[in-house]
Amino acid sequence: MAIITKNIQGAKTILDGGGLVAIPTETVYGLAAKATDPAALASIFKTKGRPSNNPLILHFPDFKAMAPYIKAIPDGVRLLAAKFWPGPLTLLLPKTTLVPDAVTAGLPRVAVRVPDHKLTLGLLNQLDYPLAAPSANPSGYISPTKPSHVNIQLGDKIPMILDGGNCEKGLESTILGWNDDGIPTIYRKGIITKGDLETVLNKEVCIYDSHSQTLEAPGMLSSHYAPNTRTLLSSTISEKIDENKHLKIGLISFKNAYEGDVAITKEIVLSSDGALDEVAYKLYAAMRELDGLGLDVLLIEKVPDTGIGKAINDRLTRSAITGTK
Ligand code: AMP
Ligand code: MG
């Protein structure tokens, strides 16, 4: 198993030598490596079983540190960084040759962000290179939001997990880029919403439609964030329970506990107040817990499709598509 520690110097030594360290962020735990070392990058892909055409996000201690890796800064980037960094916003910007092609899967843009976590910012400030880090889970599975999540799945493959406790937000970052017409475009929904971005940019932001266009961001594949247990998503959850009443059911409810007659093996209510930030914070741990119980089916209640509810429903939809193993 990996060492779970708060020792930044120990993490730096491993990373300097081309090794992997799991790092806490406010979104989810990342599997980090020295971004300028192609061999270290290769071990990220190998450890996760990640397809090499799925690019990685670069993490910086601040806006200034990013400059050598970015060729041009579109209008609005400074405003967004000033408002949301450190924080759960990833920007797709044109890369310089300092960024190895393995980071971007050969794409001309690199994904960058400044994470909002004291321990990881402390580490990044000690390094003279950015950290490339995808989520610290086997490719396609639910992202980790606690050190134990990482340790159970990757603990025998990596030497160290930096212990930053539970991730405060619990959902992957919003990804924003500028399309060929210069229009700001959301490539992945997250805690920072379309409305939040429009307020800062003072213009309309569009949402990338992955069904109608060629694949620009392979991580946006529909198969993602999925438990091993067959997973069904519904906004009329009692009907789904009735349809599956002869099975061993795990239930994740949004706000209200199920009050019907069907026996549920285990139910988790995410937020009795109906608070979407609480749902985001608790969702992945709840999915992992129920996925470990050997159930026949995992039923998850959709959340209201407003604000960060859109990002939550986006992840749930992707989980449900492939939860058939
Ligand atoms: P994760 O690996 O779980 O942290 O997710 C990283 C996300 O960022 C994936 O959805 C990637 O596809 C996306 N991403 C990273 N770099 C790029 C890029 N250059 N262009 C488009 N999407 C990117
Ligand atoms: Mg991921």
Side-chain angles (χ1 to χ4, degrees):
M1 285 287 134
I3 300 169
I4 302 182
T5 173
K6 294 185 193 300
N7 178 1
I8 288 177
Q9 284 311 315
K12 174 174 160 37
T13 304
I14 293 171
L15 292 162
D16 284 349
L20 302 183
V21 175
I23 55 165
T25 78
E26 80 283 28
T27 61
V28 303
Y29 270 76
L31 183 63
K34 181 177 186 175
T36 49
D37 178 344
L41 296 170
S43 50
I44 292 182
F45 287 95
K46 179 153 181 263
T47 303
K48 276 186 62 103
R50 184 178 177 96
S52 61
N53 68 348
N54 195 355
L56 308 174
I57 296 175
L58 294 192
H59 295 72
F60 293 93
D62 51 37
F63 186 82
K64 209 168 67 242
M66 186 182 85
Y69 301 88
I70 301 304
K71 208 156 66 180
I73 300 208
D75 273 355
V77 165
R78 283 193 175 76
L79 286 175
L80 291 170
K83 174 77 182 172
F84 296 116
W85 283 357
L89 176 66
T90 296
L91 298 174
L92 290 180
L93 302 175
K95 79 177 195 77
T96 64
T97 52
L98 285 183
V99 179
D101 282 339
V103 168
T104 65
L107 295 167
R109 291 186 298 180
V110 61
V112 293
R113 87 176 188 104
V114 178
D116 188 11
H117 194 291
K118 214 171 145 216
L119 202 58
T120 290
L121 286 173
L123 171 64
L124 286 165
N125 271 308
Q126 301 282 313
L127 306 176
D128 56 5
Y129 48 83
L131 288 176
S135 53
N137 51 275
S139 186
Y141 195 66
I142 307 159
S143 296
T145 54
K146 302 169 189 276
S148 61
H149 293 164
V150 182
N151 210 20
I152 288 164
Q153 291 188 301
L154 301 180
D156 57 349
K157 297 189 173 130
I158 61 173
M160 182 181 285
I161 300 169
L162 263 192
D163 182 2
N166 295 352
C167 299
E168 234 173 69
K169 304 284 186 197
L171 210 64
E172 302 80 358
S173 58
T174 306
I175 301 183
L176 182 79
W178 282 258
N179 71 11
D180 291 343
D181 301 323
I183 297 168
T185 304
I186 293 174
Y187 290 86
R188 179 172 71 188
K189 293 173 191 168
I191 301 277
I192 294 175
T193 63
K194 179 172 179 304
D196 296 335
L197 296 165
E198 287 175 338
T199 302
V200 172
L201 291 172
N202 197 21
K203 61 160 83 163
E204 201 181 328
V205 169
C206 71
I207 299 197
Y208 182 80
D209 179 356
S210 56
H211 296 294
S212 72
Q213 300 171 52
T214 52
L215 214 61
E216 250 185 73
M220 295 166 24
L221 284 171
S222 45
S223 65
H224 234 84
Y225 316 104
N228 293 319
T229 312
R230 189 162 71 95
T231 300
L232 303 172
L233 176 64
S234 179
S235 37
T236 49
I237 205 75
S238 330
E239 283 172 25
K240 272 279 172 280
I241 292 171
D242 281 340
E243 284 165 27
N244 290 278
K245 63 183 171 201
H246 300 300
L247 299 177
K248 263 166 75 182
I249 299 176
L251 174 62
I252 297 181
S253 305
F254 159 52
K255 184 177 169 189
N256 300 313
Y258 173 65
E259 288 180 340
D261 298 331
V262 176
I264 306 292
T265 307
K266 170 92 185 177
E267 175 177 12
I268 296 176
V269 178
L270 292 172
S271 173
S272 49
D273 298 335
L276 290 171
D277 53 351
E278 188 181 5
V279 171
Y281 172 74
K282 292 182 175 170
L283 178 66
Y284 288 161
M287 286 167 74
R288 280 174 178 263
E289 182 181 338
L290 295 196
D291 199 26
L293 298 181
L295 302 165
D296 297 323
V297 66
L298 176 51
L299 304 183
I300 309 184
E301 186 177 11
K302 263 193 170 178
V303 301
D305 210 41
T306 55
I308 67 169
K310 287 185 190 294
I312 295 167
N313 285 332
D314 169 75
R315 301 305 190 279
L316 289 176
T317 305
R318 291 165 203 263
S319 309
I321 287 171
T322 52
T324 51
K325 284 170 251 169

